[in-house]
Amino acid sequence: KVDALKLFARKSIVDDETDEMHIDGGADTCNIGGKAWIIDSLTGRTVNVVGYDEKSGSVKEKVPIGAGVTAIDLPNGDTILLRVNEATIMDDANSLLSVFQAREAHCIVNDRARQHGGGSYVGLEDTALPLVVRGASLALKIRCPSQKELKECITYDLTGDVPWHPD
């Protein structure tokens, strides 16, 4: 029997400096997990997280909701910061960008792999963030920002900051 929560929570390990935020068209809410984030706010609200199979009984209870900032190094050498608002915070799980939640905030998510005729990027105002293929999924390579970067780099919000209710 497959434990859906364990499957959801399996961490992908890139290297000591970087992590990944997986693009997930099936997730109803973003998740912030791993070492590549600085949590900058908590809402005081919590949710119960259920994997893709509600019948399995795998539930993680009272998961906090908040916002975090991560860094991404662009192909041209620049670094920008990405903020994800209204996300579940589970340090032991993969970071997920909910395509639906990002699109609700007017973020462009081209989650069709290049080999399938897509562009594979997340589009922000004037910047395209390239996605990498990891198995059968797409991801952004992210890392924890330095204190200097937090002060000097441009920050883009991938999701809205109003309370998120996906139902």
Side-chain angles (χ1 to χ4, degrees), residues 15-101:
D15 59 44
D16 289 340
E17 298 296 319
T18 62
D19 209 338
E20 294 178 337
M21 179 167 40
H22 297 272
I23 310 305
D24 193 336
D28 64 5
T29 305
C30 296
N31 184 65
I32 295 172
K35 63 185 181 279
W37 296 89
I38 294 178
I39 305 303
D40 62 359
S41 69
L42 294 171
T43 66
R45 301 185 329 262
T46 62
V47 294
N48 295 335
V49 175
V50 180
Y52 68 90
D53 181 7
E54 293 181 33
K55 295 176 190 167
S56 72
S58 296
V59 177
K60 192 163 187 174
E61 296 181 341
K62 297 184 180 178
V63 175
I65 297 171
V69 177
T70 190
I72 185 167
D73 298 315
L74 301 174
N76 68 2
D78 290 344
T79 297
I80 62 170
L81 303 179
L82 303 176
R83 176 177 288 111
V84 173
N85 300 290
E86 289 293 304
T88 54
I89 312 288
M90 292 189 286
D91 291 336
D92 60 343
N94 285 313
S95 293
L96 300 176
L97 179 65
S98 162
V99 172
F100 193 86
Q101 189 176 4

Side-chain angles (χ1 to χ4, degrees), residues 93-157:
N94 285 313
S95 293
L96 300 176
L97 179 65
S98 162
V99 172
F100 193 86
Q101 189 176 4
R103 287 178 178 156
E104 281 289 307
H106 308 289
C107 182
I108 297 167
V109 182
N110 185 327
D111 56 345
R112 190 176 200 190
R114 284 183 192 90
Q115 68 254 37
H116 299 144
S120 301
Y121 66 90
V122 173
L124 305 170
E125 298 164 20
D126 58 353
T127 304
L129 309 177
L131 300 174
V132 295
V133 176
R134 292 288 182 248
S137 68
L138 297 168
L140 285 168
K141 289 181 77 173
I142 58 174
R143 64 174 175 78
C144 192
S146 68
Q147 289 301 311
K148 181 180 179 188
E149 289 168 331
L150 288 170
K151 292 176 186 169
E152 297 177 0
C153 292
I154 296 171
T155 302
Y156 294 93
D157 286 327

